């Protein structure tokens, strides 16, 4: 039996690599690279007599190395897991959170872009984000979500 075929048989009924696994793989890689970097910094500090700084970088090395290894074990576990439905549910939750974060990031970017022309604020009753043109003095705002009416300065 060829290797590919054997691998295919082995992976049958297992979760395999999904978006969450890929993300965890990247996180663990970044942590392990950071750990190498911190070891390097710690050595540099030691040779220059900065013992406290060397210790701090040593601790950072342990933290990032430990975390990177744990995440790596977890993603390998996810990829080979036979509990596919549970892993898929985890992946769906992850994708949902990622989308939410992306939307939040996009809206913050937009907010920053038109910070000079629009004022952004939250409805004091329901927290809905609202924007209004700047330099209009005090205005009366009606919330689009809960119809709460309030006064704000622009
Ligand atoms: Zn509201």
């Amino acid at each position: 039996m060829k290797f590919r075929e054997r691998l295919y048989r082995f992976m049958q009924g297992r979760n395999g690599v999904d978006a969450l696994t890929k993300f965890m793989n990247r996180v663990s890689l970044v942590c392990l690279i950071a750990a190498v970097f911190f070891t390097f910094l710690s050595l540099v500090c030691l040779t220059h007599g900065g013992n406290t700084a060397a210790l701090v970088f040593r601790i950072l090395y342990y933290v990032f190395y430990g975390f990177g290894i744990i995440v790596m074990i977890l993603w390998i576990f996810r990829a080979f897991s036979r509990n596919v439905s549970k892993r898929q549910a985890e992946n769906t939750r992850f994708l949902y959170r990622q989308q939410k974060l992306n939307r939040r990031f996009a809206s913050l970017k937009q907010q920053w872009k038109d910070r000079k022309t629009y004022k952004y604020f939250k409805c004091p009753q329901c927290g809905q984000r609202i924007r209004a043109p700047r330099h209009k003095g005090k205005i009366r705002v009606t919330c689009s979500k809960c119809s709460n009416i309030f006064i704000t300065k622009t």
Side-chain angles (χ1 to χ4, degrees):
M1 209 159 36
K2 279 181 195 159
F3 176 73
R4 277 179 79 107
E5 208 175 314
R6 272 199 351 231
L7 186 70
Y8 178 77
R9 287 252 174 115
F10 178 72
M11 287 310 290
Q12 243 177 1
R14 292 175 198 267
N15 189 54
V17 176
D18 55 20
L20 177 55
T21 308
K22 273 187 194 158
F23 175 74
M24 288 165 81
N25 178 19
R26 255 178 271 147
V27 169
S28 67
L29 265 177
V30 168
C31 285
L32 293 177
I33 290 167
V36 172
F37 185 65
F38 285 132
T39 315
F40 174 73
L41 282 179
S42 153
L43 286 174
V44 169
C45 287
L46 263 185
T47 51
H48 290 81
N51 286 332
T52 316
L55 183 71
V56 169
F57 286 128
R58 194 86 199 139
I59 290 167
L60 280 172
Y61 158 76
Y62 281 122
V63 170
F64 276 79
Y65 183 74
F67 188 72
I69 291 290
I70 288 168
V71 175
M72 194 161 115
I73 290 169
L74 286 175
W75 81 249
I76 291 170
F77 162 77
R78 288 198 79 255
F80 294 131
S81 171
R82 286 185 187 278
N83 194 345
V84 176
S85 61
K86 202 171 169 193
R87 299 289 90 80
Q88 274 175 351
E90 285 167 2
N91 193 46
T92 308
R93 271 205 301 278
F94 164 73
L95 287 174
Y96 174 74
R97 277 192 210 124
Q98 198 185 39
Q99 265 172 24
K100 226 168 115 179
L101 213 71
N102 283 348
R103 273 203 298 273
R104 182 86 189 92
F105 187 70
S107 103
L108 277 175
K109 220 169 123 186
Q110 187 62 39
Q111 202 169 318
W112 177 253
K113 244 170 91 183
D114 50 36
R115 65 191 180 281
K116 280 179 185 146
T117 42
Y118 286 99
K119 190 194 169 168
Y120 285 81
F121 45 91
K122 273 182 180 175
C123 166
Q125 192 168 288
C126 72
Q128 167 78 358
R129 265 190 289 277
I130 305 166
R131 70 170 196 177
R134 278 194 186 278
H135 315 301
K136 302 271 183 215
K138 274 189 179 174
I139 55 160
R140 210 176 67 140
V141 180
T142 307
C143 174
S144 57
K145 197 173 170 190
C146 70
S147 311
N148 175 35
I149 295 169
F150 59 97
I151 308 281
T152 191
K153 260 164 82 178
T154 52

